[in-house]
mmCIF file of all heavy atoms in Angstrom:
data_model
loop_
_atom_site.group_PDB
_atom_site.id
_atom_site.type_symbol
_atom_site.label_atom_id
_atom_site.label_comp_id
_atom_site.label_asym_id
_atom_site.label_seq_id
_atom_site.Cartn_x
_atom_site.Cartn_y
_atom_site.Cartn_z
ATOM 1 N N LEU A 29 -6.285 68.809 7.387
ATOM 2 C CA LEU A 29 -6.166 69.713 6.238
ATOM 3 C C LEU A 29 -5.154 70.830 6.513
ATOM 4 O O LEU A 29 -4.396 71.223 5.629
ATOM 5 C CB LEU A 29 -7.535 70.284 5.860
ATOM 6 C CG LEU A 29 -8.534 69.239 5.320
ATOM 7 C CD1 LEU A 29 -9.865 69.888 4.984
ATOM 8 C CD2 LEU A 29 -7.994 68.508 4.095
ATOM 9 N N LEU A 146 3.191 72.891 -12.107
ATOM 10 C CA LEU A 146 3.589 74.037 -11.290
ATOM 11 C C LEU A 146 4.133 75.208 -12.111
ATOM 12 O O LEU A 146 4.254 76.315 -11.601
ATOM 13 C CB LEU A 146 4.601 73.615 -10.223
ATOM 14 C CG LEU A 146 4.083 72.564 -9.218
ATOM 15 C CD1 LEU A 146 5.168 72.184 -8.219
ATOM 16 C CD2 LEU A 146 2.833 73.054 -8.472
ATOM 17 N N GLN A 242 -35.999 86.874 -4.162
ATOM 18 C CA GLN A 242 -36.614 85.750 -4.887
ATOM 19 C C GLN A 242 -36.356 84.522 -4.043
ATOM 20 O O GLN A 242 -35.262 84.364 -3.517
ATOM 21 C CB GLN A 242 -35.869 85.536 -6.206
ATOM 22 C CG GLN A 242 -36.296 86.398 -7.334
ATOM 23 C CD GLN A 242 -36.797 85.546 -8.492
ATOM 24 O OE1 GLN A 242 -37.017 84.352 -8.329
ATOM 25 N NE2 GLN A 242 -36.994 86.152 -9.636
ATOM 26 N N TYR A 247 -31.657 73.481 -4.185
ATOM 27 C CA TYR A 247 -30.760 73.062 -5.266
ATOM 28 C C TYR A 247 -30.405 71.575 -5.173
ATOM 29 O O TYR A 247 -30.278 70.881 -6.175
ATOM 30 C CB TYR A 247 -29.469 73.879 -5.242
ATOM 31 C CG TYR A 247 -29.653 75.350 -5.544
ATOM 32 C CD1 TYR A 247 -29.144 76.330 -4.697
ATOM 33 C CD2 TYR A 247 -30.316 75.757 -6.700
ATOM 34 C CE1 TYR A 247 -29.289 77.672 -4.983
ATOM 35 C CE2 TYR A 247 -30.471 77.105 -6.984
ATOM 36 C CZ TYR A 247 -29.956 78.061 -6.125
ATOM 37 O OH TYR A 247 -30.098 79.386 -6.410
ATOM 38 N N ALA A 288 -26.451 61.947 -24.927
ATOM 39 C CA ALA A 288 -26.681 60.548 -24.550
ATOM 40 C C ALA A 288 -27.576 60.466 -23.312
ATOM 41 O O ALA A 288 -28.292 59.485 -23.112
ATOM 42 C CB ALA A 288 -25.346 59.859 -24.296
ATOM 43 N N GLY A 349 0.611 102.059 -3.492
ATOM 44 C CA GLY A 349 -0.243 100.977 -2.972
ATOM 45 C C GLY A 349 -0.842 100.080 -4.044
ATOM 46 O O GLY A 349 -1.119 98.911 -3.800
ATOM 47 N N ASP A 387 -29.350 89.341 -27.073
ATOM 48 C CA ASP A 387 -28.986 88.106 -27.800
ATOM 49 C C ASP A 387 -29.254 86.887 -26.916
ATOM 50 O O ASP A 387 -29.809 85.886 -27.363
ATOM 51 C CB ASP A 387 -27.487 88.103 -28.150
ATOM 52 C CG ASP A 387 -27.160 89.017 -29.318
ATOM 53 O OD1 ASP A 387 -28.085 89.537 -29.947
ATOM 54 O OD2 ASP A 387 -25.949 89.189 -29.594
ATOM 55 N N TYR A 426 -15.185 83.656 -23.529
ATOM 56 C CA TYR A 426 -16.427 82.871 -23.434
ATOM 57 C C TYR A 426 -17.214 83.131 -22.145
ATOM 58 O O TYR A 426 -18.359 82.738 -22.035
ATOM 59 C CB TYR A 426 -16.114 81.377 -23.531
ATOM 60 C CG TYR A 426 -15.373 81.019 -24.796
ATOM 61 C CD1 TYR A 426 -14.098 80.476 -24.746
ATOM 62 C CD2 TYR A 426 -15.947 81.253 -26.048
ATOM 63 C CE1 TYR A 426 -13.407 80.179 -25.913
ATOM 64 C CE2 TYR A 426 -15.261 80.958 -27.213
ATOM 65 C CZ TYR A 426 -13.986 80.421 -27.143
ATOM 66 O OH TYR A 426 -13.309 80.138 -28.289
ATOM 67 N N ALA A 437 -23.838 81.064 -14.582
ATOM 68 C CA ALA A 437 -23.009 80.240 -15.463
ATOM 69 C C ALA A 437 -22.063 79.401 -14.635
ATOM 70 O O ALA A 437 -21.733 79.768 -13.503
ATOM 71 C CB ALA A 437 -22.223 81.130 -16.417
ATOM 72 N N ASP A 446 -3.068 67.599 -23.075
ATOM 73 C CA ASP A 446 -1.675 67.644 -22.605
ATOM 74 C C ASP A 446 -1.592 67.570 -21.081
ATOM 75 O O ASP A 446 -0.866 68.357 -20.459
ATOM 76 C CB ASP A 446 -0.971 68.922 -23.093
ATOM 77 C CG ASP A 446 -0.879 68.981 -24.599
ATOM 78 O OD1 ASP A 446 -0.875 67.905 -25.227
ATOM 79 O OD2 ASP A 446 -0.853 70.110 -25.146
ATOM 80 N N ALA A 468 -24.997 69.748 -14.784
ATOM 81 C CA ALA A 468 -23.614 69.422 -14.406
ATOM 82 C C ALA A 468 -23.570 68.154 -13.547
ATOM 83 O O ALA A 468 -22.703 67.296 -13.725
ATOM 84 C CB ALA A 468 -22.994 70.591 -13.649
ATOM 85 N N HIS A 469 -24.512 68.022 -12.630
ATOM 86 C CA HIS A 469 -24.522 66.843 -11.756
ATOM 87 C C HIS A 469 -24.785 65.580 -12.567
ATOM 88 O O HIS A 469 -24.091 64.565 -12.390
ATOM 89 C CB HIS A 469 -25.582 67.016 -10.669
ATOM 90 C CG HIS A 469 -25.719 65.815 -9.777
ATOM 91 N ND1 HIS A 469 -24.729 65.443 -8.882
ATOM 92 C CD2 HIS A 469 -26.703 64.889 -9.662
ATOM 93 C CE1 HIS A 469 -25.113 64.334 -8.248
ATOM 94 N NE2 HIS A 469 -26.301 63.980 -8.699
ATOM 95 N N ASP A 476 -15.956 60.884 -14.991
ATOM 96 C CA ASP A 476 -15.192 60.996 -13.738
ATOM 97 C C ASP A 476 -14.019 61.982 -13.842
ATOM 98 O O ASP A 476 -13.064 61.902 -13.080
ATOM 99 C CB ASP A 476 -14.725 59.625 -13.263
ATOM 100 C CG ASP A 476 -13.888 58.922 -14.311
ATOM 101 O OD1 ASP A 476 -13.598 59.548 -15.344
ATOM 102 O OD2 ASP A 476 -13.531 57.756 -14.094
ATOM 103 N N PRO A 482 -4.351 65.785 -9.153
ATOM 104 C CA PRO A 482 -2.983 65.991 -9.630
ATOM 105 C C PRO A 482 -2.003 65.070 -8.878
ATOM 106 O O PRO A 482 -2.093 64.956 -7.641
ATOM 107 C CB PRO A 482 -2.695 67.453 -9.320
ATOM 108 C CG PRO A 482 -3.969 68.071 -8.860
ATOM 109 C CD PRO A 482 -4.976 67.006 -8.640
#
Side-chain angles (χ1 to χ4, degrees):
L29 294 179
L146 299 179
Q242 276 240 12
Y247 294 128
D387 284 352
Y426 303 118
D446 297 334
H469 176 69
D476 57 5

